[in-house]
Amino acid sequence: MQQKRIAIFGSTGSIGKQTLEVISAHPELFVAEILTAHSNDALLIEQALLFVPNIVVIGDIAKYAVVKKALEGKPIKVFAGEEALEQVAAMDCYDFMMAGIVGFAGLKPTLTAIESGKTVGLANKETLVVAGDIVMRIAQEKGVHIIPVDSEHSAIYQCLVGEQNNPIEKIILTASGGPFLGKKPNFLVNVKRDHALQHPNWSMGAKISIDSATLMNKGLEMIEAKWLFGLEPSQIKVVVHAQSIIHSMVQFEDGSIKAQMGLPDMKLPIQYAMAYPQRLANKFPRYNFDKPNLLSFDEPDLKTFRNLQVAIDAMNKGGNTPCVMNAANEIAVYAFLKNRIGFLEMTDLIERTIDKIAFISQPSLDDYFESDGEARSFAASLIQL
Ligand code: NAD
Ligand code: MG
């Protein structure tokens, strides 16, 4: 395999840091070419001094001077601001984008990378939730590979290798159930951010941790899967599998089910996407069959974790509804993280926003941006200051 030049969008996040670990473990295969961060200048500087990329971008313009000064005398170009993210995404100096920005903010740079023909490792599921039809169409037109990094979608991708001519009957997305598995609304009503951030199986950024606690994450993943694998909503099933050992499954037309398994470690799907179609040897801990293990499968509790039902309804409705839902969810999650609204109020905020914003059945990219903006303003207006 030729050395790949990697652009990590969101290098200071959970996905970004683990991508750098994979690069460190395989310097002959990968080199960090571009690193971007939103506001964590200290970590971006530390990463830049260690990996000496060609380019760094700090999203927050106010931090440009600090980053520039710290990297003075190094062969590293420093840019700042949202537009710089897009400009850099269009450059020819890299081969593979790790799309590790969180939320709607990841859409533009990821789309730019696809438009300029780069292979994308997609962690930023919101890109497909918001504008999956447009993103997949452009990827197809450009002949670009989008390789999923989300562990469930990586599992499905791995199950589909060699099955090009075999139609999928359905996919089974596994869900850990998050930290509040088995709990009821009378418990959830009092839940606070620190508890909700404690995921039993995965260590992740704050937003996806809250999404996992509300099961919105699984809803976002259903929509992500719909676009990635060209499925009808009726072909996507969610099963609660608390151990997070089976990362997801594909059922074919003969009833045979393929699963991809392993210990929960995001470095696996990250390195799979980066090295695809090759598998790289590593020393990550292995699943142990020498002791008794039970793997369980259960139905999700859609009455308690209403966000998942809201996401299923949004997926079925289509148009701009998933985009509106995503925007309202981002506002709700950040409000919850700031202790401004309660755990169960997040769903109310999302539902009221979906009811308010005008439905568009076949949105253009501009429509998606407008719907996102309108939904954010409306959702924010519902939160009492
Ligand atoms: P994180 O919060 O740890 O990191 C987010 C990164 O995005 C940071 O580098 C931050 O600087 C950058 N960022 C944030 N806001 C930005 C903005 N407005 N403009 C530009 N950059 C911005 O998040 P994470 O957990 O690494 O998740 C990243 C994405 O990957 C999310 O979409 C998440 O759903 C997805 N994902 C994460 C995991 C995981 O294990 N962490 C697993 C599956 C999927
Ligand atoms: Mg996932």
Side-chain angles (χ1 to χ4, degrees), residues 125 150-152 217 221:
K125 63 193 83 186
D150 213 349
S151 57
E152 296 77 1
N217 184 50
E221 291 184 352

Side-chain angles (χ1 to χ4, degrees), residues 9-16 18 36-40 85 99-103 105 123-126 149-151 202-208 217 221 266:
F9 278 63
S11 68
T12 53
S14 163
I15 292 290
Q18 294 179 84
T36 88
H38 188 50
S39 57
N40 190 345
L85 278 180
I101 290 178
V102 61
N124 178 260
K125 63 193 83 186
E126 294 90 345
V149 170
D150 213 349
S151 57
W202 302 94
S203 157
M204 310 178 286
K207 195 248 174 191
I208 183 174
N217 184 50
E221 291 184 352
M266 281 309 293

